[in-house]
Each structure stands twice: as C-alpha cells, then as structure tokens.
C-alpha cells in the first residue's frame, strides 16, 4: 500500500491546537502537593502534560472562561459544583482581581509551559447585568435572552477590562469571544445565555466599537459566534455576524463547534455531509474567512481511557481538518472530574490525583508535531481504510496516518524522504512512542492507531 503527498495542493495554514480550562482549572489550580512521578506540584505536572512540547503534547492554545459569578451568589441550578464560576465583577467597572485565583494560575502556568495564544470566552454575562440576576434562565423562561440590550455596553466594558488586565500582565491574549453556543436554551445545569442572530450582531457591533477605543487592545481580535452544533443555524448566525463592516474588521475568522448530537433521522446524522455543505457555503460567500473549530467533546457517558474514544476523536479531527479546512482545533475541556467521556486527563477529586487518557496522546500526535503556520497539503492512499493528513513546515513534512481498523498494515511513501525519518505511534500499548525509519523499508502501521511520520 502506498501513500502519496502532493505539496503543490495547498490548503489552510494552521494556527494550532488547544483546550479550555473550564471548569477544572478552578479545582486543579489549588493542587500544590507533589506528584511522585515528576517531583513537581500536581497542578504544574498537569499543565506540563498539556502544554509542554518537550514533556507533554504541546498544545498551543488555552481557552480561559470569564465566569459569570454564580459561585459567589449561589443562585441558579447547577448539575456539578465545578460548573459554578467566579467573576472579577463587584460593581460597575469595579473589580476584585484576586478572584478566580486557581483558574488564573493554570492559565499563566500554561503560558509558562508553552501556550502561545489565549482565548477569553464567556458563557454568561456577570449576574449583575442579566435580566434575572442569574447566569442562566429558568425553565419557564425558555428562549429568553438574559441580557438586556441596554446592558450591552456595560458587558463589553467588563470583558474588555478583563482582557486589558491580562494583557498588561504580559499574557498573550489573542481572542475575546463574548458569546458561547447562543442557539441553545440555557435554563440550568451550567452558565449560559441565549441570543438570536440579530442580537449577536448588535452585541458584536458594541464590542467592535469599544475595542477601537482601547489602545492597549489593538492586537486583540473578536471570536464567534461558537454555535453549538455543526448542523443548525450556523449560516444564520454567520451571515448576521459577518455582514457588518466594523465587526468584520475585528473578526479575523469564524469560530464553530463541531458537535453533531444524535438525531432520530439517519440523514441528520451524516456529519461529514453537513461539514461539506457548510464549507461550500463559506467558500461561496466568505472565501477569505478562516474557520476555527473551538469546541468538541464526545458527549457520551462513562469514562474511557482507551483507544475507542481516541479513534473517534482522531476521526473527528481528520474530518474537521480535511472537510471544513479548520485552521485550529480545540477540545472543550482539557481535564475532567466527572463520569463522562470528555477531557484529555481524568482527575480524582478525593485523592487529588490524575490519570492521562489515550485521547491525550492521540491529540499529541497532532499538536506536538504540527507547528503554528504549518500548511496542509494533499495526501491520499490506495488503501481507503486509512485516514491521511499531511502538512509542510520549514524543511519538514508531517504525515498523520489514522488506522481505525483491527488490522496492522504496512505502507510505503510514493516519494523518497531526504534525511532521517521518524515514526511516532499511539495505540493500545504505546503513547507517542518514537522509532527511526530506515530508508527504503515499509512503514508499519499498527491496528487501531494514530501515527505521525516526520521526514
């Protein structure tokens, strides 16, 4: 079986890979006891596993959640205590910067370990500004927008003040995302706020206007609209968001979430078809606007540490990178404390310990080796069971080979690599295991594996 790479077929340039610190960072950020395996504080070792290229998987992007303050007031209905968040807001343009110390620590530690880019994102405006004084609506208020238009300016001031505070501390804040999954009905379980497409447009107009008045934030870009399913209403929100010239000046891409919640009709579960349709629509209407995938997780109950979920994740990353041509790909959360198939690392709250998953290492097959600025190029094979991605960067080619089958395979490159070649494997028994490849010999591709080939 042969693999072919065409460096002249050029696609998107990569911005990076990342994950968010919601909601685990406000827990883990206080774990100062020593991890016996590394000799470092547990919180530092977790950050290192996620963001160090030398001692971890080298994620480049950290998403920090600007909380709405439900943890201070105790108002609202939340399924998990960790989903309550702190807020710096204590009054109109009055702040307590000592709040959310654990989560802020983890954000700063991620930067120390190698994160190059910070995204500040909001689920709900601060309680002080919402209509009902909570960070979500009640069931009787379904589809109600919880932020009155008269508070748009105060909400923008708050978010921009938070961004400016972190910028002045020397942190690499690049994006500010004021809304998150605006389509959904947020009536409990976690912080959230519903917005109609027209409201998203008006809110972003306010943010754009105020951003132009902040000299210290001239390098900050807006991000959005982070609609929560790849099938529903992305076009409606995108059209309203991008039709305003002032907003477009401050929005250098479109952020989407890659969820595809199961539907009772088979046609509606063809995720790849929806990705292709949305890509064609973007190429037709907004060909110069990059698309970023800013949130995905399995949305499946039960903890999974193995290759089952790692292969589902790798397939999703492959589809998003090749069908939607996304320029960045970000996990919903990096660390999970619940009995759910999400996160890259699981933590035990009682013992304050952590356990990496195969999802961590399979993500590392992408994030550790594909550098910011890498250009995706054409790659194909005569084996239809393999999933292939190829990137060129500096003097190096990076080839990803995903084998979801239970059969080991041997492949060869339809070109002769110059210099040394390296194979990095994550499978049932190996985690980013490296081996040198000999020129002229076939490349072994293990069953149920994610592989990176460098040459």
């Amino acid at each position: 079986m042969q693999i072919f790479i065409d460096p002249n077929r050029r696609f998107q340039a990569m911005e990076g890979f990342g994950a968010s610190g919601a909601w685990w960072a406000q827990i883990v950020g206080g774990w100062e006891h020593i991890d016996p395996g590394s000799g470092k504080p547990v919180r530092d070792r977790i950050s290192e596993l996620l963001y160090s290229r030398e001692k971890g998987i080298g994620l480049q992007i950290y998403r920090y959640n600007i909380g709405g303050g439900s943890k201070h007031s105790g108002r609202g209905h939340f399924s998990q205590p960790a989903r309550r968040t702190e807020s710096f807001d204590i009054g109109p343009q009055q702040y307590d910067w000592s709040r959310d110390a654990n989560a802020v620590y983890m954000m700063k530690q991620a930067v120390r370990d190698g994160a190059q880019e910070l995204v500040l994102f909001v689920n709900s405006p601060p309680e002080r500004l919402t209509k009902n004084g909570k960070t979500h609506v009640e069931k009787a208020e379904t589809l109600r927008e919880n932020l009155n238009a008269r508070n748009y300016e105060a909400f923008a001031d708050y978010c921009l003040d938070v961004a400016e505070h972190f910028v002045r501390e020397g942190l690499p804040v690049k994006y500010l995302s004021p809304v998150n999954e605006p389509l959904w009905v947020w009536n409990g379980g976690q912080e959230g706020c519903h917005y109609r497409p027209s409201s998203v447009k008006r809110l972003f107009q306010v943010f754009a206007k105020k951003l132009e008045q902040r000299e210290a934030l001239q390098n900050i870009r807006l991000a959005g609209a982070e609609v929560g399913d790849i099938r529903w209403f992305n076009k409606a929100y995108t059209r309203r968001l991008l039709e305003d010239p002032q907003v477009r000046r401050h929005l250098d891409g479109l952020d989407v979430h890659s969820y595809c919640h199961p539907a009772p009709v088979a046609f509606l579960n063809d995720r790849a078809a929806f990705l292709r349709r949305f890509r064609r629509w973007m190429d037709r209407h907004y060909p110069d606007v990059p698309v970023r995938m800013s949130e995905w997780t399995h949305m499946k109950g039960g903890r999974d540490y193995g290759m089952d979920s790692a292969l589902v994740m790798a397939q999703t990353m492959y589809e998003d990178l090749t069908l939607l041509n996304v320029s960045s790909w970000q996990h919903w959360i990096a660390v999970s404390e619940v009995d759910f198939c999400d996160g890259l690392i699981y933590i035990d709250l009682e013992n304050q310990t952590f356990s990496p998953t195969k999802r961590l290492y399979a993500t590392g097959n992408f994030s550790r080796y594909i550098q910011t600025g890498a250009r995706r190029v054409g790659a194909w094979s005569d084996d239809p069971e393999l999933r292939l991605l190829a990137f060129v960067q500096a003097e190096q080619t990076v080839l990803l080979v995903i084998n979801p089958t239970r059969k080991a395979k041997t492949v060869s490159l339809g070109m002769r690599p110059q210099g040394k070649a390296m194979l990095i494997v994550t499978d049932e028994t190996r985690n980013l295991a490296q081996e040198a490849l000999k020129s002229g010999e076939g490349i072994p591709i293990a069953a149920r594996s994610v592989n990176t080939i460098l040459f």
Side-chain angles (χ1 to χ4, degrees), residues 111-186:
V111 172
R112 286 190 285 266
D113 282 325
Q116 304 163 11
E117 174 184 311
L118 299 179
V119 181
L120 310 182
F121 76 99
V122 180
N123 290 329
S124 167
E127 286 182 334
R128 178 178 61 84
L129 300 177
T130 62
K131 291 179 180 178
N132 64 1
K134 302 175 185 177
T135 55
H136 63 71
V137 297
E138 299 295 336
K139 290 189 179 286
E141 303 170 312
T142 295
L143 292 180
R144 174 182 174 182
E145 296 188 7
N146 204 21
L147 181 66
N148 196 299
R150 68 171 177 267
N151 283 334
Y152 283 6
E153 291 204 5
F155 176 41
D157 285 334
Y158 170 63
C159 292
L160 294 174
D161 286 345
V162 172
E164 189 164 334
H165 169 76
F166 288 136
V167 167
R168 291 191 185 283
E169 289 199 331
L171 295 175
V173 180
K174 185 173 182 180
Y175 293 111
L176 174 60
S177 177
V179 303
N180 188 69
E181 299 187 347
L183 174 63
W184 298 139
V185 178
W186 296 108

Side-chain angles (χ1 to χ4, degrees), residues 16-26 28-29 46-47 50-51 59-65 100 102-112 114-121 171-175 294 329-335:
F17 299 86
S20 88
W23 296 284
W24 60 272
Q26 59 187 342
V28 172
I46 289 175
S47 174
L50 294 166
Y51 286 93
L59 295 175
Q60 298 99 345
I61 302 169
Y62 186 96
R63 290 173 59 83
Y64 172 80
N65 179 215
D100 209 23
N102 288 350
V104 170
Y105 178 89
M106 293 308 298
M107 172 174 60
K108 292 180 176 179
Q109 187 61 36
V111 172
R112 286 190 285 266
Q116 304 163 11
E117 174 184 311
L118 299 179
V119 181
L120 310 182
F121 76 99
L171 295 175
V173 180
K174 185 173 182 180
Y175 293 111
S294 56
W329 202 96
Q330 300 159 58
H331 289 274
W332 159 222
I333 54 173
V335 177

Side-chain angles (χ1 to χ4, degrees), residues 376-388:
R376 187 171 75 85
V377 297
W380 68 96
S381 170
D382 53 8
D383 183 346
E385 294 182 316
L386 298 178
R387 304 288 180 262
L388 305 177

